[in-house]
Amino acid sequence: RHLQACLNAWRDIVDKRLFVSGGTSQDEHFQADHVLQDNGRAHVSETCVTTTWIQFNLVLLQITGESGFATEIERSTYNHLMAAQNPNGEDWCYFTPLRGRKPYLKAPEITCCQSSGPRGLALAPQWAYLKARHGDADMLVVNTFETSGATLELGGQRVTVEQHSGFPRTGELRLRLRLERPARFALRLRRPQWASAFSLPGAVERDGWLTIAPRDWRDGDELTPSLPLAATLVDGRHGNRGKAALKWGPLVLALDEQANPDLPPAHRLAWSAPSLQV
């Protein structure tokens, strides 16, 4: 009963209260359905809210194993959470608008968001690689596509997975397994919604996952999945009708007009790319 209430709330937020960047809230509250203002005066997407939303999705992912929760973690982490941090690493935004200048906090001002931002980033390793079950066997679950690695106990053996990646510039991936003795376990990769085609030899695609059934793995075994990256134009709806965002894979792109003086103003740019409404 409690889980169903959480799932109902999650669906309501995703359908009616979430920015394309994975942030939510205005003045630290949810507003009426589809009220998503994108300017600095609206006080949108408090960093504490973004981190709490990531935590919520992480727990639901661990409980249910459904890929949609990992999709929302990825969207919020790469976009609204990281956008809230000053590139110098020192300051954070309390609110992070989608347009205009970002109001970074500055010392000696200290708020809750200056602790919530780092807490949100610290959650990234907790969802990148997970251990689950596939029938009577262990299963390695890979959620991230960044160059990274993890060590887990699978099939009674200590297994290290090493991932070498061109992400986010390219979709070239190579997964290599390191283990002293052969071990039997399944392997599952998340199939991201933003990838038009994602293939892994020997895997079965279902419910947002590419799964290789339990088999014996040996030291040095490699997988080379194909992950295409492309630009996508996201058309605004409701109060944001007539506006658009440009994405590259899961990343919502930003245009700094001061750093690009040769381009026309953002509101005059015309895009041509596959369109997806959110």
Side-chain angles (χ1 to χ4, degrees), residues 50-122:
T50 303
T51 294
T52 302
W53 174 242
I54 292 171
Q55 291 175 311
F56 186 44
N57 278 277
L58 177 58
V59 172
L60 290 176
L61 173 63
Q62 292 170 329
I63 291 173
T64 69
E66 295 182 8
S67 63
F69 302 119
T71 296
E72 296 306 328
I73 297 172
E74 177 185 66
R75 184 210 307 250
S76 299
T77 300
Y78 281 143
N79 295 298
H80 228 113
L81 180 64
M82 290 188 174
Q85 185 180 33
N86 192 311
N88 66 21
E90 296 177 357
D91 304 320
W92 289 80
C93 296
Y94 198 107
F95 302 111
T96 309
L98 277 73
R99 291 189 298 121
R101 299 183 64 85
K102 288 190 281 189
Y104 295 116
L105 301 168
K106 296 184 181 297
E109 182 181 11
I110 299 295
T111 73
C112 50
C113 291
Q114 285 170 310
S115 63
S116 287
R119 284 195 302 111
L121 291 179

Side-chain angles (χ1 to χ4, degrees), residues 205-238:
E205 180 180 342
R206 183 178 179 183
D207 298 330
W209 300 103
L210 293 172
T211 304
I212 295 178
R215 50 159 282 191
D216 291 331
W217 300 90
R218 291 174 170 78
D219 185 55
D221 280 348
E222 287 191 353
L223 297 170
T224 55
S226 174
L227 178 67
L229 285 161
T232 305
L233 187 67
V234 184
D235 294 327
R237 295 189 299 173
H238 305 288

Side-chain angles (χ1 to χ4, degrees), residues 5 9 15 21 28 48 64 71 74 81 85 112-113 120 128 145 151 159 161 164-165 190-191 213-214 216 239 245 271:
D15 289 348
S21 57
E28 305 184 36
C48 289
T64 69
T71 296
E74 177 185 66
L81 180 64
Q85 185 180 33
C112 50
C113 291
F145 306 110
T151 300
V159 178
V161 54
H164 300 276
S165 166
R190 180 170 57 90
R191 186 200 184 285
D216 291 331
W271 305 105

